[in-house]
Amino acid sequence: MKTNTKYIAVCFLFLFACSSRESNDKKIRKRVSGYFETYQERKDFSSFMEYYDDSIVLIDIINGDSIAGKEALSNFFNWHNPSLKGLSDDALIVETQTIEGNRVVTSGYFTEFEWNDTKFEAMDFIIVHVFNDDFKIIEQIDWINYPQNLLTPKNQNDLDTLMEGESESEKQLVGTWKLIELADFDPTSKRWIYPFGKGAQGHFTYTAGNIVTINIFNEIPINTSKDSINKVLFSFEDILLNSAAYFGEYSIDEANGILTHHVKGGAVPWYIDTNQSRPFRLENDTLYIGDMVNWKRILIKVD
């Protein structure tokens, strides 16, 4: 009888957990649906802002904006700006949406519009939202395919640099960067994993002549003596997870925020003679490589 009681209790707990998860998913789905419907209509700005938590942080990857706090976000969106005029009944169209726990990834496009009497075509977007337990947005990451003439330099120095044919990003990137975090998001466990350990070490070097050198080392390196190297068997996976290194040239797609490594040689065979493109963002002396949702490499400038 006790066994049956335990079995029933386990089943109840399992069903309760599944029910809670399903209920949470429904609430997230309803919440994000209301958010995009309000955004699509682009009329009720107060209701739109109610979807955000006071601690909201928004990062616009392509434009390089980082917004913290609800008031700053309100000024950033600025729906009432007379310079912006929509040319369609719907401000945006949602095409796909993926919900995993409290994280929602939505793709679609903003419909055509006018800015300062200049017409702009539709812009593709990918928007990532993270909701808290109160179903309010606490984090947002935007990938928007802005046209080149909508990306305005932040100051006259930027403009002068662009006129010279070298972007501010190209100037900022030159130097040596120390790796401080390398992680990949595991959708199964919904946790960040660290292939080279949380204390992974390494440097990325970018020269003014567009040469790139990458070196990454595991926080716990393979420990073996020179005398025993022929006696110990290592798998190729052991070697790859101990260190990774390659070299080549690099280029920057400023408009789309893409950094490409044109690999010429190195210890990762399938990288050789390939173009490895990565989304990136520069903030002062910090370099972010990756989409920050599924994978990230964060570095600080040391030289």
Side-chain angles (χ1 to χ4, degrees):
M1 185 69 180
K2 288 183 179 179
T3 301
N4 289 338
T5 303
K6 287 182 180 179
Y7 176 75
I8 293 171
V10 170
C11 289
F12 175 78
L13 289 173
F14 176 76
L15 291 172
F16 177 76
C18 291
S19 176
S20 297
R21 224 170 15 245
E22 184 179 353
S23 176
N24 186 75
D25 288 348
K26 283 183 177 179
K27 288 179 180 178
I28 290 287
R29 190 175 297 279
K30 182 178 180 181
R31 190 72 172 160
V32 78
S33 175
Y35 170 89
F36 277 105
E37 286 175 4
T38 306
Y39 204 161
Q40 189 177 51
E41 293 174 358
R42 202 180 171 87
K43 293 177 181 177
D44 192 343
F45 189 59
S46 296
S47 295
F48 176 72
M49 290 303 301
E50 281 303 307
Y51 286 95
Y52 290 98
D53 187 77
D54 291 339
S55 64
I56 176 66
V57 174
L58 181 147
I59 297 174
D60 187 319
I61 298 293
I62 302 300
N63 217 21
D65 294 306
S66 182
I67 313 298
K70 203 168 178 179
E71 183 177 351
L73 187 68
S74 176
N75 295 331
F76 174 75
F77 278 120
N78 193 14
W79 278 12
H80 304 298
N81 192 325
S83 298
L84 177 65
K85 185 186 299 182
L87 300 178
S88 173
D89 291 338
D90 298 322
L92 59 84
I93 301 296
V94 171
E95 295 182 315
T96 65
Q97 201 164 72
T98 302
I99 299 175
E100 290 187 359
N102 65 339
R103 184 186 300 265
V104 183
V105 181
T106 306
S107 67
Y109 61 91
F110 292 103
T111 55
E112 60 182 6
F113 62 97
E114 283 186 1
W115 177 259
N116 286 328
D117 296 325
T118 300
K119 182 178 177 181
F120 293 93
E121 299 300 323
M123 303 183 302
D124 293 328
F125 69 76
I126 297 175
I127 298 177
V128 180
H129 288 122
V130 178
F131 288 81
N132 62 14
D133 293 339
D134 294 323
F135 303 102
K136 292 210 170 189
I137 301 166
I138 56 173
E139 182 180 340
Q140 178 171 331
I141 301 174
D142 287 354
W143 283 87
I144 300 173
N145 186 29
Y146 297 110
Q148 182 63 41
N149 55 344
L150 197 59
L151 292 168
T152 55
K154 291 182 175 61
N155 54 51
Q156 188 60 43
N157 290 334
D158 288 343
L159 182 59
D160 293 341
T161 301
L162 289 171
M163 293 296 287
E164 291 168 5
E166 184 179 14
S167 72
E168 186 64 22
S169 291
E170 287 173 317
K171 278 192 170 183
Q172 281 184 271
L173 189 62
V174 171
T176 299
W177 301 79
K178 180 182 178 181
L179 183 67
I180 60 172
E181 184 175 3
L182 185 154
D184 300 317
F185 188 75
D186 179 17
T188 302
S189 64
K190 293 182 172 56
R191 293 181 179 178
W192 287 100
I193 59 174
Y194 302 85
F196 294 89
K198 286 190 175 182
Q201 302 180 56
H203 291 90
F204 292 19
T205 300
Y206 299 90
T207 74
N210 292 96
I211 302 299
V212 58
T213 304
I214 307 292
N215 291 285
I216 302 170
F217 298 92
N218 199 297
E219 66 175 340
I220 305 175
I222 294 175
N223 186 13
T224 186
S225 66
K226 184 177 180 181
D227 295 337
S228 63
I229 194 70
N230 294 323
K231 302 174 185 177
V232 181
L233 294 177
F234 296 107
S235 69
F236 190 50
E237 183 181 14
D238 291 334
I239 297 171
L240 279 179
L241 292 180
N242 176 66
S243 63
Y246 64 85
F247 65 90
E249 298 177 349
Y250 72 91
S251 60
I252 294 176
D253 180 350
E254 186 82 17
N256 294 303
I258 300 296
L259 170 63
T260 301
H261 297 160
H262 308 281
V263 183
K264 301 301 181 184
V268 186
W270 49 87
Y271 273 20
I272 298 173
D273 292 327
T274 66
N275 298 322
Q276 298 293 319
S277 296
R278 291 93 166 77
F280 84 108
R281 177 168 53 90
L282 283 159
E283 284 191 6
N284 299 320
D285 287 337
T286 304
L287 170 61
Y288 300 89
I289 298 177
D291 60 10
M292 302 297 133
V293 177
N294 299 298
W295 63 285
K296 58 184 174 181
R297 284 75 174 117
I298 302 176
L299 307 99
I300 56 173
K301 198 166 194 177
V302 293
D303 187 21

